[in-house]
Amino acid sequence: MSSVALSTSHPRPLGLSASAIGLPVYLLVAVYTIGACVAILSTGATQAFAFGSYLVVWPAAFFVVFPAIYALLLALRIVHRLETRRGRRLALRKALAARHVQQFATGVGLLLAMMVFQGAFTSLKTALPLWQGGFPYDVAQADIDRALHFGVDPWRYLYAIGADPWVRAFAEWNYNQGWFIVCYATLFFMAVSASTGAVRTRYLVSYMITWAIVGNLLAGLFLSAGPAFYGFVTGDAARFGEQLAFLAASGDGAHSATKVQDYLWHFYSSGQSGLGSGISAFPSMHVGLVTLNALFIAEFSRRWGLLAFAYVALVLASSVYLAWHYAIDGYVAIAVTVVVYVAVKKVFLRAS
């Protein structure tokens, strides 16, 4: 993300000053979090609360690791682009200018708010099966998936060309590790960089609305567990049995899809909550979030935008390949995310 050429010429959304530009985000976080807590407390599903699980991992990532990488990349960029000592001093002075420091500080506050938001999201997601009494829509969604793909479950197309241990290992690493690096590095950059100040609030508002609609509202209305858990929730272990057997052959590695799926099922079956807990397949937040990132990246760079959309295709295929999702989960996530992106952009443009 550091090499994307971002422009600062965009009009500032809502006419807010740099110091106050986070107010709409804080308001949405407050409303969403209070609503989530009220819903959970009023239904007695208090075991779904997952705020505490973010208190260690989130600060470590966003207030230690990412800032260190960001500072290193900034220093390397200055050294690489400027040959003279005087030029480097001027560039460093510019990077540490009051406006940039203010943007960074405001971004850190917004990232803290995002930690609260993600805790509320995970809590709601964990509560969904408790409210629904299980996962009622897996059979219907799997049948729709098969019908749309000419009478064949789409994972079989992928395995016809990619049932290889090396493909599996790459898909597992990217889905269980690479995706988080890409998506949360993007979130960090959009929050703290002075280059993104003109679109930061719009991005964060779109980010939260996408999570809420795709990951909570639609997930709750059409709750399904996905192919990995199809046998558990329907009693039909044969339909995806061959696929799950292939995935189980990766063993107990750190990035094993089977290991992560066992981790989530443990939380569900034991009635507990934890970091990233909660099971819902339809629609796919993995696909929705990379779609949102691609739409914003394309605003600034056509080349990087094309690469970002290629990554969307990779994540969509991987979600099916690794038995996390039916293909329709990704299709719907893309469509809904595009609608959210366009609608929020129109609102901000009218208000500017």
Side-chain angles (χ1 to χ4, degrees):
M1 286 298 297
S2 61
S3 58
V4 178
L6 298 177
S7 170
T8 58
S9 61
H10 298 272
R12 182 167 291 154
L14 298 182
L16 295 173
S17 66
S19 61
I21 200 169
L23 290 179
V25 176
Y26 290 122
L27 178 61
L28 277 179
V29 170
V31 171
Y32 177 84
T33 302
I34 292 172
C37 291
V38 169
I40 291 172
L41 289 172
S42 64
T43 57
T46 55
Q47 66 268 41
F49 279 125
F51 291 96
S53 60
Y54 286 87
L55 292 178
V56 175
V57 176
W58 192 274
F62 286 96
F63 307 140
V64 179
V65 176
F66 282 144
I69 296 174
Y70 185 74
L72 177 61
L73 291 176
L74 179 62
L76 290 176
R77 184 178 183 184
I78 291 173
V79 171
H80 175 70
R81 292 192 173 186
L82 299 171
E83 297 180 358
T84 67
R85 186 174 300 176
R86 180 174 180 273
R88 291 172 183 172
R89 284 200 302 266
L90 291 175
L92 181 60
R93 186 179 302 171
K94 181 178 179 181
L96 297 177
R99 182 176 68 88
H100 292 183
V101 173
Q102 185 181 53
Q103 290 278 11
F104 189 92
T106 303
V108 169
L110 291 170
L111 289 170
L112 188 61
M114 288 298 101
M115 180 181 72
V116 177
F117 171 80
Q118 294 289 176
F121 171 83
T122 299
S123 300
L124 275 180
K125 183 178 179 181
T126 303
L128 291 177
L130 302 176
W131 294 334
Q132 289 274 26
F135 303 90
Y137 291 103
D138 275 276
V139 173
Q141 291 173 17
D143 288 346
I144 293 172
D145 216 34
R146 176 183 285 176
L148 287 176
H149 295 88
F150 310 102
V152 178
D153 288 323
W155 67 268
R156 294 191 177 276
Y157 292 121
L158 296 174
Y159 278 38
I161 60 175
D164 180 89
W166 289 101
V167 175
R168 180 182 61 212
F170 171 75
E172 288 180 325
W173 178 87
N174 177 66
Y175 202 83
N176 297 330
Q177 187 75 32
W179 181 90
F180 289 94
I181 296 173
V182 170
C183 290
Y184 289 119
T186 301
L187 173 62
F188 175 83
F189 182 77
M190 292 295 291
V192 306
S193 175
S195 301
T196 61
V199 298
R200 176 169 60 187
T201 299
R202 177 160 61 88
Y203 174 80
L204 292 175
V205 169
S206 302
Y207 176 94
M208 287 187 288
I209 293 176
T210 300
W211 279 91
I213 294 179
V214 172
N216 287 153
L217 178 61
L218 293 178
L221 290 174
F222 306 100
L223 189 61
S224 60
F229 311 109
Y230 190 87
F232 293 140
V233 302
T234 69
D236 179 5
R239 183 167 188 173
F240 297 98
E242 184 181 341
Q243 180 183 17
L244 297 181
F246 173 76
L247 294 175
S250 65
D252 198 34
H255 306 301
S256 166
T258 301
K259 183 177 180 178
V260 179
Q261 288 157 0
D262 288 344
Y263 166 86
L264 292 180
W265 189 256
H266 164 74
F267 278 120
Y268 169 70
S269 60
S270 64
Q272 301 175 28
S273 63
L275 185 68
S277 64
I279 295 173
S280 65
F282 178 90
S284 168
M285 269 311 308
H286 259 68
V287 175
L289 191 52
V290 292
T291 299
L292 182 68
N293 289 341
L295 291 166
F296 273 89
I297 291 171
E299 291 188 28
F300 303 115
S301 168
R302 181 179 179 182
R303 181 183 63 180
W304 283 93
L306 290 174
L307 184 62
F309 280 112
Y311 189 66
V312 172
L314 173 63
V315 173
L316 171 59
S318 298
S319 72
V320 177
Y321 182 92
L322 297 174
W324 284 110
H325 291 283
Y326 311 109
I328 58 171
D329 301 344
Y331 302 158
V332 172
I334 291 171
V336 173
T337 302
V338 170
V339 170
V340 169
Y341 167 82
V342 172
V344 174
K345 186 174 183 179
K346 285 184 176 179
V347 169
F348 272 71
L349 287 176
R350 288 174 182 173
S352 62

